[in-house]
Amino acid sequence: MVTRTDHWLEKLKSTDGRVTDARRAVVDVIVSSPRPLTPVEIFDAARKKHLHLGLVSVYRTLEKLEELRLIQRVHQEQGCQAFLRAGVGHQHLLLCERCGQAVLFDGDDLESLFSRISQQTGFEIKDHWLQVSGVCAECK
Amino acid sequence: MVTRTDHWLEKLKSTDGRVTDARRAVVDVIVSSPRPLTPVEIFDAARKKHLHLGLVSVYRTLEKLEELRLIQRVHQEQGCQAFLRAGVGHQHLLLCERCGQAVLFDGDDLESLFSRISQQTGFEIKDHWLQVSGVCAECK
DNA sequence: CTACTATTGATAATGTTTTTCAATTATAGG
DNA sequence: CCTATAATTGAAAAACATTATCAATAGTAG
Ligand SMILES: [Mn+2]
Ligand SMILES: [Mn+2]
Ligand SMILES: [Zn+2]
Ligand SMILES: [Zn+2]
């Protein structure tokens, strides 16, 4: 059975990267987390799998994974240094305010909003960024 | 003529705060900036008005102004430590990718999107966050 | 003018991310 | 399997960003 961890490591390998214990541990932690994690959180969790992992390697792996678009940075009030697996295609993030659980959704249609803003401001709209928060079914 | 700077300083005063040269300088810089600024950028600009301003006072003033909801933190790819005057009521941000100019717009209607997401995920939607970027009329 | 207390800036402390570097290790090719 | 090569590692130091401490200063009410 090919896990998502394996898939990510393959992606790394196919871009001149190597598969190491440090990376395996970091990827494993991110892949199996239902919520965004900070570098230190990832470090603490991954150290249980790879004892003398360095925090530097977490940062370096995050950088690689972000380049490969396998993870995304999550912006929150308390700070913006948390990372989460990336969605496929065009998706946005829905976060539970209580437990932090993240869900990716798609199918937003903002075109009419954008064309109106474009007319009013003279801007040519290139990109957008939407994040929704609330309380998940379990936390309600 | 009552400037926006004066208005902000009055707000500060009315919540047990004092009007000082340091604050006047910081507020002036933010109020007259068309784009989000980082603490250090604010520091550099404000120092021209108040020579021996300390960077600490910039941080402290930012904290106060954020509490009073006169400014908002702006999240961007390159980092999330930039601040901008806050909008009135429910508004969202439109940023120019070239010059950084910020425009606040309102009148987004995301209710139907939210009710659909809510049904699909079981979440109770509480809040959302939308930011749009593009190229402004001058930069086109 | 005075008393009171919020605010200041210098300094130190803390926290986060990046750089440097020599040692180690994954991997391709023989 | 062995070897050469270059990517990766972790320790340590450096760089950067933010926050806490504290004695001196200055805004404000009265
Ligand atoms: Mn979208
Ligand atoms: Mn809205
Ligand atoms: Zn929850
Ligand atoms: Zn522009």
Side-chain angles (χ1 to χ4, degrees):
Chain A
M1 166 209 173
V2 175
T3 62
R4 197 187 319 227
T5 301
D6 294 332
H7 175 236
W8 286 25
L9 294 173
E10 269 317 306
K11 268 251 165 118
L12 259 173
K13 209 166 173 178
S14 70
T15 52
D16 219 20
R18 291 178 182 181
V19 176
T20 66
D21 288 349
R23 286 179 175 174
R24 215 187 315 271
V26 168
V27 167
D28 235 3
V29 166
I30 299 173
V31 152
S32 56
S33 171
R35 64 182 188 83
L37 299 174
T38 64
V40 173
E41 285 174 327
I42 294 167
F43 178 56
D44 288 339
R47 218 163 15 163
K48 285 169 189 152
K49 302 170 195 230
H50 180 54
L51 251 44
H52 48 125
L53 175 68
L55 178 57
V56 231
S57 289
V58 175
Y59 277 101
R60 285 188 285 225
T61 305
L62 288 172
E63 201 181 332
K64 280 265 179 208
L65 296 175
E66 206 176 11
E67 273 169 25
L68 293 171
R69 297 182 184 278
L70 292 170
I71 60 171
Q72 62 184 308
R73 188 180 288 268
V74 175
H75 301 252
Q76 291 173 277
E77 279 311 322
Q78 322 92 283
C80 302
Q81 61 290 81
F83 293 84
L84 183 77
R85 71 193 180 286
V88 287
H90 183 100
Q91 295 192 307
H92 293 282
L93 210 50
L94 170 58
L95 293 169
C96 175
E97 287 169 359
R98 302 255 172 86
C99 67
Q101 184 194 167
V103 174
L104 291 158
F105 65 89
D106 47 23
D108 65 307
D109 184 13
L110 305 175
E111 283 316 314
S112 67
L113 171 63
F114 292 160
S115 72
R116 205 204 68 221
I117 300 171
S118 190
Q119 287 227 327
Q120 290 178 350
T121 62
F123 271 62
E124 182 185 344
I125 310 296
K126 295 270 194 185
D127 207 354
H128 67 278
W129 184 23
L130 172 67
Q131 212 168 279
V132 184
S133 63
V135 183
C136 77
E138 291 90 68
C139 289
K140 246 191 290 200
Chain B
M1 165 209 173
V2 175
T3 63
R4 194 180 332 221
T5 301
D6 292 333
H7 175 235
W8 286 25
L9 294 173
E10 268 318 304
K11 268 248 164 120
L12 260 172
K13 209 165 173 179
S14 71
T15 52
D16 220 21
R18 292 178 180 180
V19 176
T20 66
D21 287 348
R23 286 179 174 174
R24 213 188 315 271
V26 169
V27 167
D28 234 2
V29 167
I30 299 173
V31 152
S32 56
S33 171
R35 63 181 188 86
L37 298 174
T38 64
V40 174
E41 285 174 327
I42 294 167
F43 178 56
D44 289 337
R47 216 163 16 164
K48 285 169 188 154
K49 300 171 197 232
H50 180 53
L51 250 44
H52 50 125
L53 175 68
L55 178 56
V56 233
S57 289
V58 175
Y59 277 102
R60 286 188 285 226
T61 305
L62 288 173
E63 201 181 332
K64 279 267 178 204
L65 295 175
E66 206 175 11
E67 274 170 24
L68 293 171
R69 297 181 186 277
L70 292 170
I71 60 171
Q72 62 184 309
R73 188 180 288 269
V74 174
H75 302 252
Q76 292 174 275
E77 280 311 322
Q78 323 92 283
C80 303
Q81 60 291 81
F83 293 84
L84 183 77
R85 70 194 181 284
V88 288
H90 183 100
Q91 295 192 307
H92 293 284
L93 210 50
L94 169 58
L95 293 169
C96 175
E97 287 169 0
R98 303 256 171 85
C99 68
Q101 184 195 167
V103 174
L104 291 158
F105 66 88
D106 47 23
D108 65 308
D109 183 12
L110 305 175
E111 282 316 313
S112 67
L113 171 64
F114 293 160
S115 73
R116 205 203 68 219
I117 300 172
S118 190
Q119 287 227 328
Q120 290 179 351
T121 62
F123 270 60
E124 182 186 343
I125 310 295
K126 296 271 194 183
D127 207 355
H128 67 278
W129 181 26
L130 174 65
Q131 210 169 280
V132 184
S133 64
V135 182
C136 76
E138 290 91 66
C139 289
K140 247 191 290 199

